[in-house]
Amino acid sequence: MDNRENLLDIALSLFSQRGYEGVGVQEIVETAGVTKPTLYHYYDSKRGLLDTLLKREEGRLLSSVLQASVYKRDIVYTLENIVRAYFDASKSHPDFYRMQIAMLFAPPESDSHLAILPFVSQQYEIIEEVFIQAVQDHGNLRGRHKRYASGFLGTINAMIGLSLEGELDLTKELVYLTVHQFLHGIFS
Amino acid sequence: MDNRENLLDIALSLFSQRGYEGVGVQEIVETAGVTKPTLYHYYDSKRGLLDTLLKREEGRLLSSVLQASVYKRDIVYTLENIVRAYFDASKSHPDFYRMQIAMLFAPPESDSHLAILPFVSQQYEIIEEVFIQAVQDHGNLRGRHKRYASGFLGTINAMIGLSLEGELDLTKELVYLTVHQFLHGIFS
DNA sequence: ATAAGAATATACCGATCAGTATATAAAGTC
DNA sequence: GACTTTATATACTGATCGGTATATTCTTAT
């Protein structure tokens, strides 16, 4: 009966279904079986609740991506690790992953976007660094790290998007196929 | 002084900055210099206003994508046309394109998502059909049209995303690079 | 000129928004 | 047992939400 933690769980579930802006504080506390002052005792605002929630959930994903992104002079191996990290994250916490994407593409000035941006930016920078490191072994990648990091994440999210709609399974083969297609194109 | 049309323009500008759900009817009419009954004289609800707006804006994009997607047994040519169509759309109406993406990734039950879904689905199906057609000339593409359509659009939107953040220019070269990378990978 | 319809405004509706003032209960500390 | 801190509830605030009842003006057709 930990109200503090329970409120986070309830909020995650509601936010991922209908969005941060689309869920009222009243609904959160009612679903959790408490009243408003209880929520405002633990968190100083609705936004504060969201920030705490994101810190908890993003921490897991971020450390997973960070671990997968260590470049040991094998670009195929590293990229496969990254794809696997993202696929695993979206499989074990699909609601949260959906919410992360929705918040990223929310209007630039919205609380949603502003709250998620630092976390997603970190992810992006970690991936970008891989392509920067890879230049030492693949000179022709030089100067294109922005495009590659963005395109790679775009491809990953396209696959995850399909799987969230039930159109696709995030299998081991798909990890290989995704990386292979990114590196060698759809013709090879 | 066409209030009917002017309300659409104002709504587009406000919605693309702060989202459909984030903008009140009051603000729309105040910015347009009219009052609520005027808006409700022309449109039967806030959602009706959005639907009319989307029909007007998406019509342009959709016909442009449709025209670019005629497959004449040259996959490179067709894909370049498609990328060009999207780049042009986002360059000439960046606000609207940003709004389209935000609405697509909005929570599944939200008005935003439900309103944009049919239009984006049409775009997706058009692209998917290209990859289905291309099988007649490139047999190894068979059965992968969902993944390819989604991945291709994901790549396009990744590039547009970078350009909307000012990180990239949607040049003619980038049209070529995007298609070439999709077909042959980043190694070639 | 007059009637009819379209276009607009003033002023309001109930519901919901995030947040709080105040009081009370429970738990831990001395 | 007395006191303090933590945790909770009742009941409220002003602002904003989408939408409307009613009245008036403007335009057009007869």
Side-chain angles (χ1 to χ4, degrees):
Chain A
M1 283 288 229
D2 188 346
N3 283 332
R4 177 184 226 127
E5 207 68 13
N6 193 232
L7 279 165
L8 287 182
D9 296 337
I10 298 285
L12 171 58
S13 156
L14 292 174
F15 289 165
S16 55
Q17 287 172 51
R18 302 207 311 286
Y20 171 75
E21 279 84 4
V23 175
V25 172
Q26 191 63 46
E27 185 179 0
I28 298 172
V29 297
E30 271 171 19
T31 310
V34 296
T35 57
K36 279 197 203 180
T38 301
L39 187 151
Y40 282 97
H41 174 70
Y42 293 116
Y43 309 100
D44 56 324
S45 64
K46 188 192 178 191
R47 173 63 193 271
L49 170 70
L50 175 65
D51 289 335
T52 306
L53 174 61
L54 288 183
K55 230 170 277 179
R56 191 183 73 168
E57 303 293 315
E58 287 283 354
R60 216 183 18 229
L61 173 56
L62 214 50
S63 81
S64 160
V65 171
L66 199 55
Q67 188 180 336
S69 298
V70 178
Y71 179 69
K72 278 181 279 197
R73 319 202 66 155
D74 185 341
I75 184 74
V76 177
Y77 175 75
T78 303
L79 293 188
E80 283 183 359
N81 280 340
I82 293 173
V83 172
R84 199 161 19 242
Y86 275 99
F87 282 10
D88 287 348
S90 102
K91 276 191 286 189
S92 53
H93 303 89
D95 284 351
F96 171 67
Y97 202 87
R98 185 175 245 133
M99 182 179 78
Q100 181 191 253
I101 297 185
M103 293 178 75
L104 177 60
F105 291 108
E109 298 170 48
S110 66
D111 273 342
S112 278
H113 182 77
L114 294 175
I116 204 75
L117 190 56
F119 298 102
V120 179
S121 294
Q122 276 183 73
Q123 294 175 36
Y124 177 87
E125 281 158 23
I126 292 169
I127 312 285
E128 196 179 3
E129 182 62 25
V130 170
F131 287 103
I132 293 175
Q133 293 289 322
V135 167
Q136 63 187 107
D137 299 306
H138 309 276
N140 56 329
L141 304 188
R142 193 184 308 274
R144 308 172 177 168
H145 46 270
K146 277 212 173 79
R147 257 174 56 211
Y148 288 163
S150 195
F152 188 54
L153 273 172
T155 306
I156 291 175
N157 282 329
M159 296 305 111
I160 292 179
L162 280 179
S163 102
L164 289 174
E165 288 164 19
E167 303 275 0
L168 202 61
D169 253 16
L170 266 22
T171 62
K172 281 166 235 165
E173 285 78 18
L174 191 58
V175 172
Y176 166 78
L177 288 170
T178 302
V179 172
H180 190 268
Q181 175 180 320
F182 184 75
L183 292 177
H184 302 104
I186 69 175
F187 272 165
S188 76
Chain B
M1 285 294 218
D2 187 345
N3 284 332
R4 178 184 224 126
E5 206 68 16
N6 193 232
L7 279 165
L8 287 183
D9 295 337
I10 298 285
L12 170 59
S13 157
L14 292 175
F15 289 165
S16 56
Q17 285 173 55
R18 299 207 313 286
Y20 171 75
E21 280 84 3
V23 175
V25 173
Q26 190 63 46
E27 186 179 359
I28 298 172
V29 296
E30 271 171 20
T31 310
V34 297
T35 57
K36 280 197 203 180
T38 300
L39 186 151
Y40 283 96
H41 173 71
Y42 293 116
Y43 310 99
D44 55 326
S45 64
K46 188 191 177 190
R47 172 61 193 272
L49 170 69
L50 175 65
D51 289 336
T52 306
L53 174 60
L54 288 183
K55 227 170 278 177
R56 191 184 72 169
E57 302 294 315
E58 286 284 353
R60 215 184 19 228
L61 173 55
L62 214 52
S63 83
S64 161
V65 171
L66 199 56
Q67 188 180 335
S69 299
V70 178
Y71 180 69
K72 279 182 277 196
R73 317 203 67 156
D74 185 341
I75 186 71
V76 177
Y77 175 76
T78 303
L79 294 187
E80 283 182 359
N81 280 341
I82 293 172
V83 172
R84 201 163 15 244
Y86 276 99
F87 282 10
D88 286 349
S90 99
K91 276 190 288 188
S92 54
H93 302 89
D95 284 351
F96 170 67
Y97 201 86
R98 183 175 247 134
M99 181 178 80
Q100 181 191 256
I101 297 186
M103 293 178 75
L104 177 60
F105 290 108
E109 299 170 47
S110 65
D111 273 344
S112 278
H113 182 77
L114 294 174
I116 203 78
L117 190 56
F119 298 103
V120 179
S121 294
Q122 276 184 74
Q123 294 175 35
Y124 178 85
E125 281 157 23
I126 292 169
I127 312 285
E128 195 180 3
E129 181 63 24
V130 170
F131 287 104
I132 293 175
Q133 293 288 323
V135 167
Q136 63 188 105
D137 299 306
H138 310 273
N140 55 331
L141 304 190
R142 193 183 310 273
R144 308 171 177 170
H145 46 271
K146 277 210 174 80
R147 258 174 54 211
Y148 288 164
S150 196
F152 188 54
L153 272 172
T155 305
I156 291 174
N157 280 329
M159 294 306 109
I160 292 180
L162 280 180
S163 101
L164 289 174
E165 290 165 14
E167 303 275 0
L168 202 62
D169 251 19
L170 266 23
T171 61
K172 280 167 232 161
E173 286 78 17
L174 190 58
V175 172
Y176 165 79
L177 288 170
T178 302
V179 172
H180 191 267
Q181 174 179 321
F182 184 75
L183 293 177
H184 301 103
I186 69 174
F187 273 165
S188 73

